């Protein structure tokens, strides 16, 4: 059962006057009244149109979509958040689909998969290829298939969002959200959505090469804690390869022509040594990360058991009419 009044619609905007009013009204039409627009200091009438349409409008203190979203979540009191672009490329009528898993299961983060129903012209070929590449890299490095990690239509609980350590200011925020969900074992699910092209007169703020490059870099940087073998091993592998190539060259020149290259030999040796060490370091870090994860899971299971045990004993004592038992239960559940 979806409780729409428990959901806050979060719309980051920057120069979206052409569409933001429509987005807000369509949400109101399907029963979502709590709408927060976090604006990046638009030069057009975005802020005015949004507040006239009935949304709460706040201007972000920094710059970039990422900073805007982080700042906005701190202002939200509702336990459930639905994030959407202000550009009318996503359908407010599909909001229930995204929010539903949060209410009906223990899922804490829902991603709308744009590739499930991509309208013609919604994404340039370049962006499609880039998105595919990024999703593949994510699956390979972080070991989970979330289909469309860069989607801007997602629903999550405020509590799960607060667990994530996010630092991206710009469009890296979606990548960070996906990686952090994996890292913190946050139950994540994917639902199909429709992705439409921007309306006339509206322009994207995305710069494909620059933002795409940044996203790949973020994916790599964040592999340190999710997949250290990849993080250290990939550089170690390249370094070893260079070392082996240099050694082969030196050996060839010496054996065939009788010429020796001391400096290149030294460089090759160092490169190989560094490479092998990095790979070993990756394996060790991986061991630490895996053990740490196992321990954390065990601690979480124990915590859960303790909680259920506590509430059971409390129930029993309240059953006997013990008032103090009742107070204890509320105190412990309140802490969570
Ligand atoms: N507050 C804020 N919102 C931004 C900023 N940059 C982009 N946005 C908004 O973030 C959403 C996603 O950006 P968009 O340009 O649609 O990216 P795309 O969907 O990847 O093409 C849109 O609603 C933008 O208006 C920014 O610097 N600050
Ligand atoms: Mg968009």
């Amino acid at each position: 059962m979806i409780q729409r009044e428990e959901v806050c619609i979060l719309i980051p905007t920057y120069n979206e006057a052409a569409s933001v009013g429509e987005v807000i009204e369509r949400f109101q039409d399907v029963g979502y009244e709590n709408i927060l627009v976090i604006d990046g200091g638009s030069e057009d009438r975005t802020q005015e149109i949004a507040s006239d349409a009935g949304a709460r409008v706040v201007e972000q203190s920094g710059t970039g979509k990422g900073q805007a979203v982080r700042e906005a979540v701190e202002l939200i009191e509702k336990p459930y958040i639905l994030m959407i672009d202000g550009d009318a490329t996503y359908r407010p009528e599909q909001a229930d689909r995204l929010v539903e898993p949060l209410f009906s299961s223990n899922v804490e983060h829902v991603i709308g998969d744009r590739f499930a129903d991509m309208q013609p012209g919604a994404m340039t070929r370049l962006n499609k290829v880039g998105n595919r590449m990024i999703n593949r890299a994510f699956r390979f490095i972080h070991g989970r298939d979330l289909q469309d990690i860069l989607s801007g239509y997602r629903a999550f609980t405020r509590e799960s969002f607060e667990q994530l350590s996010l630092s991206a200011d710009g469009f890296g925020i979606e990548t960070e959200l996906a990686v952090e969900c994996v890292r913190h074992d946050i139950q994540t699910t994917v639902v199909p959505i429709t992705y439409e092209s921007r309306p006339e007169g509206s322009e994207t703020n995305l710069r494909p090469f620059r933002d795409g490059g940044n996203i790949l870099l973020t994916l790599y940087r964040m592999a340190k804690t999710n997949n250290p073998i990849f993080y250290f091993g990939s550089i170690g592998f390249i370094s070893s390869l260079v070392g082996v190539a240099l050694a082969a060259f030196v050996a060839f020149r010496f054996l065939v022509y009788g010429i020796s290259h001391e400096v290149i030999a030294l460089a090759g040796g160092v490169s190989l040594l560094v490479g092998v060490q990095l790979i070993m370091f990756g394996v060790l870090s991986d061991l630490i990360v895996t053990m740490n994860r196992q321990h954390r899971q065990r601690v979480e299971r124990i915590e859960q058991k303790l909680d259920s045990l506590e509430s059971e004993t409390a129930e029993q004592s309240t059953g006997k009419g013990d008032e103090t038992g009742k107070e204890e239960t509320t105190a412990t559940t309140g802490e969570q």
Side-chain angles (χ1 to χ4, degrees):
M1 257 276 285
I2 300 173
Q3 292 165 287
R4 298 194 183 87
E5 65 287 351
E6 291 300 307
V7 180
C8 177
I9 309 293
L10 166 58
I11 317 181
T13 58
Y14 182 66
N15 291 345
E16 301 288 7
S19 49
V20 71
E22 180 203 323
V23 174
I24 294 168
E25 278 156 21
R26 282 166 68 184
F27 269 113
Q28 290 161 342
D29 287 345
V30 289
Y32 292 88
E33 299 288 339
N34 193 309
I35 301 171
L36 172 66
V37 168
I38 180 111
D39 187 65
S42 297
E43 286 104 33
D44 60 11
R45 294 181 54 236
T46 302
Q47 296 197 11
E48 202 185 322
I49 294 172
S51 65
D52 285 350
R56 175 180 171 204
V57 180
V58 177
E59 188 163 323
Q60 72 183 104
S61 60
T63 50
K65 180 182 174 183
Q67 195 277 334
V69 170
R70 284 185 282 127
E71 186 172 342
V73 172
E74 279 179 27
L75 301 172
I76 293 173
E77 275 151 24
K78 301 281 176 196
Y80 303 98
I81 299 170
L82 179 63
M83 180 172 106
I84 191 168
D85 286 6
D87 56 11
T89 51
Y90 301 99
R91 293 189 180 161
E93 295 74 24
Q94 295 177 340
D96 284 358
R97 258 194 232 183
L98 279 109
V99 172
E100 204 267 335
L102 301 178
F103 286 96
S104 66
S105 62
N106 56 354
V107 165
E108 290 177 291
H109 194 104
V110 185
I111 299 175
D113 175 12
R114 297 171 292 174
F115 292 98
D117 180 19
M118 175 101 48
Q119 300 291 307
M123 217 188 250
T124 62
R125 185 164 298 174
L126 175 69
N127 280 355
K128 260 188 216 158
V129 171
N131 264 282
R132 289 252 157 77
M133 216 166 81
I134 287 164
N135 281 305
R136 270 204 206 123
F138 177 79
R139 201 169 53 204
F140 181 70
I141 301 176
H142 298 280
R144 208 180 293 172
D145 189 4
L146 296 178
Q147 284 161 54
D148 186 14
I149 64 161
L150 301 185
S151 174
Y153 205 4
R154 15 189 8 133
F156 43 82
T157 59
R158 204 191 57 224
E159 203 185 324
S160 72
F161 187 93
E162 280 161 2
Q163 281 177 41
L164 313 177
S165 28
L166 305 166
S167 59
D169 282 336
F171 287 107
I173 184 78
E174 281 91 3
T175 321
E176 275 193 346
L177 283 174
V179 175
E180 282 286 302
C181 279
V182 174
R183 191 152 79 95
H184 293 275
D185 281 329
I186 287 176
Q187 284 284 333
T188 309
T189 194
V190 183
V191 297
I193 53 157
T194 307
Y195 192 53
E196 280 165 306
S197 56
R198 277 178 166 263
E200 289 286 310
S202 134
E203 249 172 74
T204 177
N205 302 305
L206 185 89
R207 292 152 302 182
F209 285 106
R210 207 174 133 175
D211 292 319
N214 273 335
I215 287 165
L216 282 176
L217 216 71
T218 308
L219 275 182
Y220 175 71
R221 214 170 21 84
M222 297 186 84
K224 192 154 85 182
T225 43
N226 271 0
N227 187 353
I229 292 197
F230 178 81
Y231 184 77
F232 295 107
S234 52
I235 298 181
F237 182 71
I238 293 169
S239 180
S240 309
L241 222 59
V242 170
V244 170
L246 290 179
F249 172 77
V250 171
F252 175 77
R253 297 275 289 180
F254 183 74
L255 294 175
V256 178
Y257 302 106
I259 308 168
S260 60
H261 294 281
E262 286 84 3
V263 178
I264 300 181
L266 186 71
V270 170
S271 186
L272 190 62
L273 268 178
V274 169
V276 171
Q277 293 228 10
L278 275 174
I279 293 173
M280 284 184 351
F281 195 68
V283 173
L284 283 178
S285 314
D286 189 70
L287 205 72
I288 297 172
V289 167
T290 319
M291 279 191 341
N292 187 23
R293 192 171 296 153
Q294 281 170 355
H295 281 304
R296 214 179 49 217
Q297 281 168 356
R298 198 169 299 164
V299 169
E300 271 164 20
R301 271 204 302 273
I302 294 172
E303 263 176 6
Q304 273 170 5
K305 269 205 189 116
L306 269 178
D307 279 348
S308 56
L309 221 83
E310 251 173 45
S311 48
E312 257 173 43
T313 32
E315 256 169 41
Q316 278 169 5
S317 47
T318 41
K320 285 176 203 153
D322 186 343
E323 283 300 316
T324 39
K326 206 177 209 167
E327 270 164 31
E328 266 169 30
T329 343
T330 31
T332 37
T333 37
E335 258 170 41
Q336 287 169 349

